[in-house]
Amino acid sequence: MKICRTLIAWFIATLFILTIPGVSLAGYDYIDITQPYLKKLPIAVPYFKKISTVDDTDQLSRTLSDLLSDTLDFTGYFKIMNREAFLLNPQTDAGFANVIFHDWTSIGAELLVTGGVLVKDNLLEIELRLYDTFKEKLLVGKRYKGGISDQRRIIRRFCSDVIYSLTGDRGIFDTEIAFVSTSSGTKEIYICEFDGYNIRRVTHTNSITLTPAWSSDGQWIAYTSYARGKPDLYIKHLKENRGTVISKEGINITPAWFPNKFDLAATLSFSGDPEIYLLTGTGKVIKRLTNNKGIDVSPTWSPDGKKMAFVSKRSGTPQIYIKNLDSDQENRLTFQGNYNTQPSWSPKGDKIAYASMEGGLNNIFVIRIDGQSPIQMTHNEGDNESPSWSPDGSLIVFSSTREGPSRIYVMTGYGTDQRRLLTLQGQQTQPKWSPRMTQN
Amino acid sequence: MRKKIWIILALAFIIPGLLFTASCAKKAVKDDAAMTQQAEDEAAMKAKEAAEKARQEELARQREIDEQRLKDEAMMKQEAKDMFLNEDIHFEFDSSILTPEAQLILKKKAEWLQNNPESMSTIEGHCDERGTSEYNLALGDRRATSTKNFLVDLGISASRLTTISYGEERPVDPGKSEDAWAKNRRCHFTIN
């Protein structure tokens, strides 16, 4: 019922999106996605102009413009400019429709977002525009109509268009992050939106629950729980009350969904030894993927599903290996350090993030899949674990004890802009970034 | 004249003495018999009592010994059980190899399992907090499995032994010292 209503509201909102004439196709040359954080783009987001005379529009226009700049800031691509430096009053015409570009280039703003807000009968109408101030060009112009409660979705939708026009990728604004938290006293799985907003609890096992993993369509999560007294693998639909439990003898752990299929890899030890298997989403073993006495654990798939990285102790210490599923060949990837675990294959397919332990503490590293030049992302800030890429490959979410208890942090794929995602009672671990929930 | 006096004196002493003696003797004979009888009865009674008392004491002593023996046995049994339950085996970091100390302890555990053939046991594999959670779940599984295999090799039926890995999820010592970590790298036994 709720979903239905939301859908209708969104449908209405979408109906009213107008692409403003005169928008030219951007060449995606604003943000060099191979080195996007070396130079942050200075962007100005003045308070949106209120078009209606309703009293609380003032507050709303401030809230919306703050939300927009926070949302853009989250990507790490921008330098959000201080509003005190702005030369004009946003409530004039020049604040929205008739932009005087010189006012912005003279303070160094390369991009500008203006907005107009109209509130009528509890309905919200927003028009938002992205300008290139130096080229004096409108890059994105959209008008949205919806309920007051749709404001987050509207802002995220526009930000998605902004990022698309600048990078050619839709970004991460319709994604979520699953993680483990001890807020209730036991380890349970929670989900929040990409920016830490709207936290909700997913499991109520009153036991140890670990390692959430998203299916490619974002509809299912797989995780390990001791709900029945031992580590079993649960496959659960997030909206409907259905799923499967894989409860073989020994451990049933570390699920990793196969790209775009209802299959997943997981570690099972019913044979007497932890090995990685390919399973159907209903829990049937399709085939065994590793065959080596000793620990094989933590699979992660290349985006094309042709390769799988995993952790093995076959050389004496835990190291990351890559298995080519066509040739059955397995090659060791990591040679630096004595304890490399938790591989996470990047969505672009060219890198693997992992945790490397030295002196009892883990740090996040990113290595190319040819094994060249591992780069350390975290330095001397507690224990850093469980890296997971955002679906556009721009950000990495991970857990860290840098402020005492373990919490969830986000950084860019190059290790910059490290910040805490959320504050919650207890400790938070094992974050996993979802795929995109809607296909734009 | 003097002779006469001596005789008279002698008679004066002797006659009453004789008389006295006679009467005395007669009476003594009669009393003696009675007394003997009584003494015999008393002695017999006393002996009987003593025997009874001794028997009772012996019984009590026996009972006490039995009780003590039972108590001792129960205590030893409990001690053996407690030891089975409380004595963990420990591992080196990132290792599931059984150390010589661990093997000695496991031999005692096998003995206990042989003496208690009706008991089923679960072997919990644990790790210290260092390292990562997923890998430690696998390592705890390896520790529990190698422990189980050792007991099976000592003749314990595999069907009596279950394994479960808790990885780093249930430390006995939450500390962050080498001491705490060493305590946490363990296999712990429970009786089902």
Side-chain angles (χ1 to χ4, degrees):
Chain A
M1 197 50 214
K2 194 186 165 199
I3 297 165
C4 221
R5 217 182 308 140
T6 326
L7 273 179
I8 290 166
W10 193 232
F11 187 62
I12 293 169
T14 316
L15 267 183
F16 281 84
I17 294 173
L18 300 174
T19 302
I20 291 161
V23 174
S24 62
L25 278 176
Y28 309 143
D29 54 351
Y30 291 90
I31 296 168
D32 172 12
I33 54 166
T34 60
Q35 285 293 329
Y37 309 104
L38 283 180
K39 179 184 169 290
K40 285 173 182 281
L41 274 173
I43 187 167
V45 185
Y47 287 133
F48 300 153
K49 182 171 163 38
K50 43 179 185 169
I51 291 165
S52 56
T53 50
V54 183
D55 282 349
D56 51 2
T57 313
D58 208 27
Q59 184 54 46
L60 188 66
S61 102
R62 281 165 184 255
T63 309
L64 288 169
S65 42
D66 283 345
L67 182 60
L68 190 137
S69 59
D70 287 349
T71 305
L72 288 179
D73 194 25
F74 192 89
T75 63
Y77 294 139
F78 303 101
K79 176 176 172 262
I80 308 292
M81 298 190 69
N82 189 342
R83 291 196 179 109
E84 280 169 26
F86 297 171
L87 299 175
L88 64 105
N89 175 2
Q91 298 311 330
T92 63
D93 264 2
F96 173 51
N98 305 309
V99 173
I100 302 161
F101 291 107
H102 179 71
D103 284 349
W104 301 104
T105 52
S106 66
I107 61 164
E110 294 180 22
L111 294 168
L112 168 71
V113 173
T114 63
V117 182
L118 180 77
V119 181
K120 212 166 109 185
D121 300 334
N122 231 21
L123 276 179
L124 181 64
E125 214 177 312
I126 314 176
E127 190 174 327
L128 295 166
R129 295 176 182 189
L130 172 72
Y131 293 99
D132 176 328
T133 52
F134 281 89
K135 289 186 184 156
E136 305 196 355
K137 203 163 79 178
L138 179 68
L139 298 177
V140 181
K142 289 281 172 79
R143 189 181 298 154
Y144 305 87
K145 202 170 180 178
I148 299 277
S149 59
D150 288 323
Q151 53 184 283
R152 274 184 62 82
R153 313 182 109 208
I154 291 168
I155 295 299
R156 281 183 306 182
R157 183 89 178 219
F158 179 72
C159 288
S160 183
D161 288 334
V162 168
I163 296 303
Y164 183 71
S165 77
L166 301 177
T167 68
D169 193 292
R170 286 256 155 226
I172 43 125
F173 306 115
D174 57 349
T175 62
E176 298 188 312
I177 292 166
F179 57 96
V180 171
S181 178
T182 60
S183 312
S184 68
T186 54
K187 287 192 171 179
E188 303 281 358
I189 291 169
Y190 291 69
I191 291 177
C192 65
E193 289 172 19
F194 73 96
D195 54 358
Y197 186 84
N198 189 17
I199 301 162
R200 64 253 190 227
R201 184 172 165 185
V202 174
T203 62
H204 295 79
T205 63
N206 291 323
S207 67
I208 307 161
T209 302
L210 304 165
T211 58
W214 297 89
S215 63
S216 295
D217 61 3
Q219 300 290 300
W220 296 80
I221 53 164
Y223 55 91
T224 290
S225 178
Y226 286 69
R228 295 186 185 175
K230 58 187 269 303
D232 296 325
L233 194 64
Y234 289 72
I235 299 169
K236 180 184 160 73
H237 194 278
L238 278 167
K239 296 202 173 83
E240 296 155 25
N241 187 20
R242 58 198 175 105
T244 310
V245 185
I246 300 166
S247 180
K248 295 187 188 295
E249 202 185 324
I251 49 174
N252 302 265
I253 62 166
T254 62
W257 292 89
F258 191 91
N260 304 314
K261 273 175 110 173
F262 194 57
D263 294 340
L264 69 171
T267 302
L268 312 174
S269 70
F270 66 86
S271 71
D273 198 45
E275 300 284 0
I276 298 169
Y277 295 82
L278 185 63
L279 308 163
T280 66
T282 53
K284 291 192 185 67
V285 172
I286 299 169
K287 64 175 174 180
R288 182 164 162 173
L289 296 174
T290 57
N291 198 342
N292 152 62
K293 188 153 175 49
I295 295 170
D296 293 296
V297 73
S298 296
T300 177
W301 292 101
S302 66
D304 61 8
K306 288 184 175 167
K307 289 175 184 164
M308 178 187 81
F310 61 100
V311 173
S312 179
K313 208 195 173 183
R314 61 192 64 181
S315 68
T317 58
Q319 297 293 346
I320 295 165
Y321 290 75
I322 291 179
K323 181 188 178 80
N324 185 322
L325 269 82
D326 292 334
S327 66
D328 255 1
Q329 244 190 335
E330 293 173 345
N331 293 315
R332 183 169 163 180
L333 177 71
T334 52
F335 288 90
Q336 186 181 303
N338 291 321
Y339 196 109
N340 297 314
T341 61
Q342 297 182 327
S344 172
W345 209 306
S346 78
K348 302 240 186 298
D350 56 340
K351 294 172 189 167
I352 287 173
Y354 61 98
S356 182
M357 188 169 72
E358 207 189 316
L361 292 175
N362 285 283
N363 277 301
I364 310 289
F365 281 70
V366 170
I367 190 169
R368 274 166 40 188
I369 56 161
D370 59 7
Q372 294 303 302
S373 54
I375 297 166
Q376 186 169 349
M377 303 273 137
T378 57
H379 301 264
N380 308 318
E381 287 194 288
D383 188 58
N384 300 276
E385 297 186 13
S386 303
S388 170
W389 295 90
S390 62
D392 66 347
S394 69
L395 300 170
I396 294 173
V397 65
F398 60 103
S399 69
S400 176
T401 61
R402 61 187 60 186
E403 291 171 289
S406 181
R407 300 224 184 280
I408 308 293
Y409 295 78
V410 171
M411 62 182 166
T412 68
Y414 295 84
T416 63
D417 301 274
Q418 301 192 9
R419 57 240 134 103
R420 193 174 67 232
L421 183 69
L422 47 85
T423 306
L424 202 59
Q425 213 187 339
Q427 306 216 34
Q428 289 79 49
T429 50
Q430 300 181 332
K432 200 62 131 273
W433 215 307
S434 80
R436 282 228 283 275
M437 296 300 182
T438 52
Q439 301 301 320
N440 283 311
Chain B
M1 224 14 231
R2 245 185 220 186
K3 232 176 182 178
K4 228 178 170 177
I5 290 164
W6 274 108
I7 290 164
I8 290 163
L9 263 174
L11 281 173
F13 276 99
I14 292 164
I15 289 165
L18 280 171
L19 279 170
F20 189 74
T21 311
S23 69
C24 252
K26 213 176 177 180
K27 202 181 171 189
V29 169
K30 194 184 158 198
D31 283 0
D32 238 14
M35 268 176 71
T36 310
Q37 187 56 47
Q38 199 180 342
E40 271 171 12
D41 288 353
E42 271 175 23
M45 192 110 80
K46 261 187 198 154
K48 210 172 158 189
E49 272 172 17
E52 179 60 24
K53 196 175 168 199
R55 205 173 62 85
Q56 289 294 338
E57 273 172 5
E58 177 60 23
L59 270 172
R61 204 168 61 87
Q62 201 60 48
R63 211 177 303 129
E64 218 166 85
I65 288 171
D66 285 352
E67 272 170 17
Q68 191 57 46
R69 192 167 52 83
L70 282 172
K71 221 187 266 172
D72 286 353
E73 272 174 14
M75 205 159 80
M76 274 168 65
K77 227 173 160 179
Q78 189 58 46
E79 268 172 17
K81 189 175 172 181
D82 287 350
M83 190 180 261
F84 181 84
L85 290 173
N86 296 336
E87 198 174 18
D88 293 346
I89 60 164
H90 294 96
F91 296 85
E92 297 293 315
F93 176 71
D94 189 24
S95 169
S96 55
I97 294 167
L98 299 169
T99 62
E101 296 79 27
Q103 294 187 17
L104 277 179
I105 295 170
L106 287 180
K107 279 175 189 154
K108 284 191 282 176
K109 298 222 190 273
E111 209 173 291
W112 187 88
L113 286 163
Q114 261 144 5
N115 293 335
N116 296 271
E118 71 296 341
S119 289
M120 314 273 275
S121 180
T122 297
I123 305 163
E124 298 175 358
H126 297 269
C127 307
D128 70 34
E129 60 164 3
R130 292 173 302 167
T132 47
S133 163
E134 300 89 335
Y135 181 81
N136 277 338
L137 281 173
L139 180 61
D141 186 69
R142 291 291 302 151
R143 284 176 177 165
T145 302
S146 62
T147 302
K148 176 181 170 175
N149 291 345
F150 187 81
L151 291 173
V152 169
D153 287 347
L154 290 177
I156 307 302
S157 162
S159 63
R160 294 173 60 197
L161 301 168
T162 316
T163 61
I164 181 167
S165 171
Y166 282 106
E168 61 180 76
E169 303 299 326
R170 290 202 174 158
V172 277
D173 188 333
K176 292 188 181 298
S177 60
E178 185 46 63
D179 259 13
W181 292 329
K183 270 187 241 169
N184 291 332
R185 295 189 298 265
R186 70 201 192 276
C187 272
H188 179 72
F189 286 72
T190 61
I191 299 167
N192 305 355

